[in-house]
Amino acid sequence: MTTNEALIKYCLRLGDTSLILGQRMAEWCSKGPVLEEDIALSNIGLDLFGQSRTMLTYAGEIEGKGRTENDLAFKRLEREFFNNLMSERPNGHFGETVVRNLFLSAFTYNLYKKLSLSKDDTIAAFAAKSLKEVTYHLRHSGEWMIRLGDGTEDSHNKIQQSVNDLWEYTGDLFAMNEVDELLIAENIAIDLNEIKPLWNNTINEILERATLTRPLDGFMQKGSLNGIHSEDLGHLLTEMQFLPRAYPNSKW
Amino acid sequence: MEDAKKLEEFQAKIDAEIKIEPKDWMPEDYRKHLQRQMSQHAHSEIIGMQPEGNWLLRAPSLRSKVVLLAKIQDEAGHGLYLYSAAETLGKSRTEYLDELKTGKAKYSSIFNYPTLTWADMGAVGWLVDGAAIVNQVSLQRTSYGPYARGMVKICKEESFHQRQGYEIMADMAKGSPEQKEMAQDALNRFWWPSIMMFGPHDSDSPNTGNAVKWKIKRATNDQLRQSFIDKTVHQAEIIGLTIPDPDLKWNENRGSYDFGEMDWDEFWTVVKGGGPCSKQRLKHYNDAHNNGEWVRKAAKAYAEKQNSKQKVA
C-alpha cells in the first residue's frame, strides 16, 4: 500500500462518517421535539455534509481518476463505504440520537484537535475548521445527555438504555489497520490509542453529570475498516443514491 | 365613547402610516385578524418543511442536498420568528400550536399537495416561494410593526429560495428528455395551486374588508396574483417550459397577462381538509410533537431542578 492509497482510504473514513451521520441528521427534518431542535439538528447536518464534501473531494483528487464528491457519495456500493459503524446507527428516539451523536462528537472533537497538526495540509485545515463545528455538536449532545439523564425518571431510563445499546459500537471508533500505521509514521494520521483516553475523559465526565452509568466493555462490533457494516447502511444508501442510480447519465 | 375615540386615533395612525406596536391600543378585531393571519403564516412555514423534507434524503447531489437542507432550516427559522411576532399579540406559541394540532388553525393549502419527483423541489421553490414572496413583499408595509419587520428579514431569505427552485427547474429543463419532462410535469401540477395561493377573487374574499382599511393587507388577492403571473410567465419562457393555461395571453391594453379560470371547487375542497396530503401533513406534525413530549418534559424537569438548586445555594 502506498501513502496515497492509504490517504485515500483515510479521507473516505472521515468523509463517509460525516456523510452518513449527516444523512441521519437530515432524517430528523420536521420531526424534532421542538422547533428550536429542528433548527439545531439541521445545523449539525449542514456542518457534516460540508465536512464530507471536503474529504470526498480531496479523496477524489488524490485518486486522480476524475471522481468527484458526487461520484464517491452516490456511486459506491455498501462494501466500499468506510464510515464508522456508530454513524450509521438509526436515529431511534431523540435520546438514541443524542447518545450516538455524543459518542461520535466526543471522538471527532478529540481527533480533530490533534489532526489539525497533521503534516498533510488539507487534512490539517479540514480538522481545524471541523473542530469548531464538532465543538458545538459535542456541546449540543452533551447538554441534552445531561438534561435527559437528570430529567425525569422516564427520560433517565430511556437514555441509559440507549447508552447500553450503543456501547458495543464504541470499539469500532478506535479500530486501526495498516492505513493508520502507514500514515502515523508519516505524521499524517493520529494514533487512536492516544484518542481513547481523551474520549474516555469526555464521556465519563458527561455520564457523571447526567447521573448515568458507564457500561462495562463487553462484546464489541467491528468491521468498518473493511467495509463491513450493519444491514442499516444498505437502506440508507438505497434512498440516498436513488436518483443518480436511476438516471446514470443525467446531470443534476 | 372611550372606544370610539381610541378607534379614531388608531385609524389616524394607520392613515398616517405609523406602525401599530404591541403595547398600543388596537381594536379586538384587528388583534384577532393578525393572530389568525400571522399564526397561519407561521404554521405554513413549519408544515411547508414536510413536502420539501420528502426529497431531502434523495437529493441527487451533495450541493443540492445542502442547499435544500439550508432552505428548510430557514423555513423553521421563519416559523420561529413569526410565532415570536405573533406572541406579541398576547397569545403563546403553545396556544397557536394547539390550534394547528386540532385542525382549528389553517396553513397554506399548497402544502397539502404531494411532492412526487425531484422536479417538484424546483417547482415548489420557484412557484410556491415565488408566490409567497409577492405576498410578503407587500406585507413588509403591513400596519403591525412586528409583522412588517419580520417580513423584511424573511423576504431576503425567500428570494434566495426562489432562485434555488428556479435553478433546479432550469437545470432540468436543459437536461435529458426525461428531466425536461419531469420539470414540465411539475410545472403542470403546481401552476394552478400556486396561483390559487393568493386566495379567492376579491369579489369572493371574506377577509378583505377591514384588512384593507387597517392596512394589514396592502394589496388585494387579485392584484398580487396578477403581479406574480406577470413576472413568472417570462421566467418559464426563458427555460423553455410551458405554463399549462391555454387562455394565457398578453393583454396590451392592461399591460398584463390574461389567464384562464381557476378551479375554485378544488381550492375550497383542499382548504376544508380534502387535499391529497391534508391528513398526512397534520398527522406527521402531531406524531413528531407527541414523540417529543417526553423530551420536553425532561428538559422542563431538569430546568426546575437546576432552579431549586440555585435557590438552595
Side-chain angles (χ1 to χ4, degrees):
Chain A
M1 181 180 279
T2 65
T3 305
N4 265 1
E5 284 165 352
L7 194 53
I8 293 167
K9 281 246 165 99
Y10 197 75
C11 292
L12 290 177
R13 269 191 220 169
L14 297 174
D16 288 349
T17 295
S18 298
L19 174 64
I20 301 304
L21 186 64
Q23 183 79 355
R24 288 292 187 219
M25 299 318 291
E27 288 174 23
W28 268 105
C29 178
S30 77
K31 295 180 189 153
V34 286
L35 196 47
E36 284 81 349
E37 273 313 297
D38 243 303
I39 294 173
L41 297 171
S42 296
N43 231 355
I44 295 171
L46 285 169
D47 288 343
L48 291 165
F49 287 129
Q51 291 169 12
S52 166
R53 294 178 72 183
T54 306
M55 275 300 107
L56 294 185
T57 301
Y58 187 42
E61 280 168 15
I62 307 166
E63 188 189 50
K65 291 180 187 165
R67 287 206 286 182
T68 64
E69 56 175 25
N70 288 326
D71 294 327
L72 289 168
F74 295 96
K75 298 201 170 156
R76 274 182 300 151
L77 297 166
E78 293 88 336
R79 296 275 282 103
E80 299 168 303
F81 272 77
F82 297 102
N83 58 287
N84 56 45
L85 300 178
M86 188 69 79
S87 62
E88 72 202 41
R89 297 317 306 138
N91 284 340
H93 59 61
F94 184 73
E96 275 176 77
T97 290
V98 164
V99 174
R100 178 197 63 203
N101 288 12
L102 173 74
F103 288 164
L104 266 175
S105 55
F107 174 73
T108 45
Y109 170 77
N110 287 300
L111 175 65
Y112 292 166
K113 253 187 181 173
K114 301 245 175 194
L115 215 46
S116 59
L117 303 171
S118 168
K119 224 182 79 187
D120 182 288
D121 291 342
T122 306
I123 291 197
F126 159 83
K129 178 175 181 288
S130 304
L131 178 62
K132 290 180 196 152
E133 296 165 349
V134 299
T135 301
Y136 162 70
H137 304 175
L138 175 61
R139 201 176 78 207
H140 178 264
S141 53
E143 283 176 0
W144 271 112
M145 192 84 175
I146 293 164
R147 270 184 218 123
L148 296 175
D150 194 17
T152 62
E153 193 186 338
D154 177 43
S155 71
H156 176 90
N157 293 340
K158 272 202 167 93
I159 199 151
Q160 180 68 60
Q161 189 61 49
S162 304
V163 170
N164 299 348
D165 291 344
L166 286 167
W167 196 254
E168 68 186 43
Y169 295 94
T170 57
D172 181 69
L173 296 173
F174 302 97
M176 290 188 284
N177 62 10
E178 67 274 22
V179 168
D180 300 79
E181 265 175 49
L182 213 153
L183 296 180
I184 291 167
E186 304 260 353
N187 290 320
I188 293 174
I190 304 297
D191 186 344
L192 295 178
N193 290 319
E194 290 177 31
I195 305 298
K196 185 74 193 273
L198 301 170
W199 182 86
N200 276 331
N201 289 345
T202 310
I203 294 297
N204 290 345
E205 191 200 318
I206 292 172
L207 285 175
E208 195 189 323
R209 287 182 58 200
T211 70
L212 294 166
T213 309
R214 180 182 164 118
L216 296 174
D217 284 353
F219 165 72
M220 286 289 175
Q221 299 276 357
K222 57 178 195 267
S224 70
L225 297 187
N226 299 314
I228 303 281
H229 294 273
S230 61
E231 291 177 350
D232 303 294
L233 182 68
H235 294 279
L236 182 150
L237 295 178
T238 302
E239 188 171 42
M240 185 176 83
Q241 298 180 337
F242 157 65
L243 277 171
R245 297 257 186 222
Y247 304 92
N249 300 317
S250 293
K251 284 192 186 135
W252 302 92
Chain B
M1 266 323 267
E2 185 68 6
D3 273 4
K5 188 161 177 288
K6 280 180 182 162
L7 189 61
E8 204 176 295
E9 284 169 9
F10 172 81
Q11 190 63 49
K13 257 199 216 165
I14 301 260
D15 294 343
E17 298 289 336
I18 297 169
K19 297 281 180 234
I20 305 301
E21 296 299 335
K23 288 181 176 161
D24 296 349
W25 184 89
M26 61 187 84
E28 227 14 57
D29 281 352
Y30 180 84
R31 185 185 299 277
K32 288 230 166 68
H33 188 109
L34 278 165
Q35 283 176 336
R36 185 179 54 79
Q37 182 171 335
M38 290 170 74
S39 66
Q40 263 185 25
H41 197 158
H43 300 330
S44 300
E45 296 282 357
I46 60 166
I47 296 291
M49 294 166 72
Q50 291 180 40
E52 294 187 302
N54 182 41
W55 278 93
L56 181 56
L57 301 175
R58 293 175 289 171
S61 70
L62 292 179
R63 179 178 178 274
S64 64
K65 193 189 284 289
V66 168
V67 174
L68 184 61
L69 181 54
K71 174 176 192 269
I72 301 174
Q73 191 196 29
D74 280 349
E75 276 148 17
H78 294 174
L80 202 57
Y81 213 72
L82 282 160
Y83 285 123
S84 303
E87 282 188 322
T88 64
L89 293 159
K91 201 162 160 179
S92 71
R93 198 207 307 184
T94 312
E95 288 174 280
Y96 287 123
L97 286 174
D98 281 343
E99 291 176 352
L100 173 64
K101 271 193 308 202
T102 56
K104 189 184 163 208
K106 301 278 181 240
Y107 53 84
S108 181
S109 288
I110 193 79
F111 301 121
N112 289 325
Y113 289 87
T115 51
L116 301 177
T117 72
W118 172 251
D120 290 12
M121 293 305 97
V124 167
W126 175 34
L127 302 174
V128 175
D129 287 287
I133 294 171
V134 170
N135 191 31
Q136 288 166 350
V137 163
S138 147
L139 284 171
Q140 291 180 107
R141 292 172 53 241
T142 194
S143 58
Y144 189 55
Y147 197 21
R149 290 188 288 273
M151 283 302 117
V152 173
K153 179 180 151 56
I154 286 172
C155 278
K156 284 187 190 145
E157 291 178 351
E158 290 288 354
S159 60
F160 148 74
H161 296 173
Q162 198 210 3
R163 280 203 298 278
Q164 172 260 359
Y166 190 61
E167 183 187 68
I168 291 175
M169 286 304 249
D171 286 348
M172 289 185 77
K174 65 174 187 234
S176 66
E178 284 163 316
Q179 284 174 305
K180 181 163 186 185
E181 197 183 320
M182 239 187 260
Q184 182 63 52
D185 172 62
L187 172 57
N188 293 349
R189 282 181 289 110
F190 275 95
W191 174 254
W192 293 101
S194 297
I195 64 171
M196 287 195 282
M197 278 173 70
F198 297 98
H201 284 306
D202 297 345
S203 49
D204 304 321
S205 182
N207 292 317
T208 301
N210 278 338
V212 171
K213 187 173 98 187
W214 288 337
K215 295 187 182 172
I216 295 174
K217 236 177 140 71
R218 301 303 308 240
T220 69
N221 294 352
D222 285 331
Q223 286 166 343
L224 294 168
R225 180 166 22 242
Q226 186 71 59
S227 140
F228 171 70
I229 291 172
D230 288 347
K231 72 175 193 170
T232 307
V233 172
H234 184 56
Q235 292 170 354
E237 280 167 3
I238 292 175
I239 57 176
L241 296 179
T242 309
I243 304 248
D245 178 358
D247 296 324
L248 189 78
K249 66 169 188 294
W250 180 250
N251 181 326
E252 197 65 54
N253 291 337
R254 290 203 304 124
S256 272
Y257 282 92
D258 291 338
F259 52 94
E261 197 41 56
M262 292 156 276
D263 183 348
W264 294 109
D265 287 341
E266 176 181 315
F267 175 80
W268 288 114
T269 304
V270 181
V271 167
K272 288 170 186 161
C277 298
S278 302
K279 289 200 178 73
Q280 177 190 332
R281 300 285 184 246
L282 200 55
K283 182 178 182 312
H284 178 108
Y285 174 78
N286 281 329
D287 286 350
H289 187 81
N290 295 339
N291 289 339
E293 191 172 359
W294 70 277
V295 177
R296 294 190 299 274
K297 270 190 185 159
K300 197 166 166 239
Y302 177 76
E304 279 163 7
K305 279 187 208 176
Q306 294 309 107
N307 278 343
S308 57
K309 271 184 203 163
Q310 272 176 0
K311 273 177 199 155
V312 172

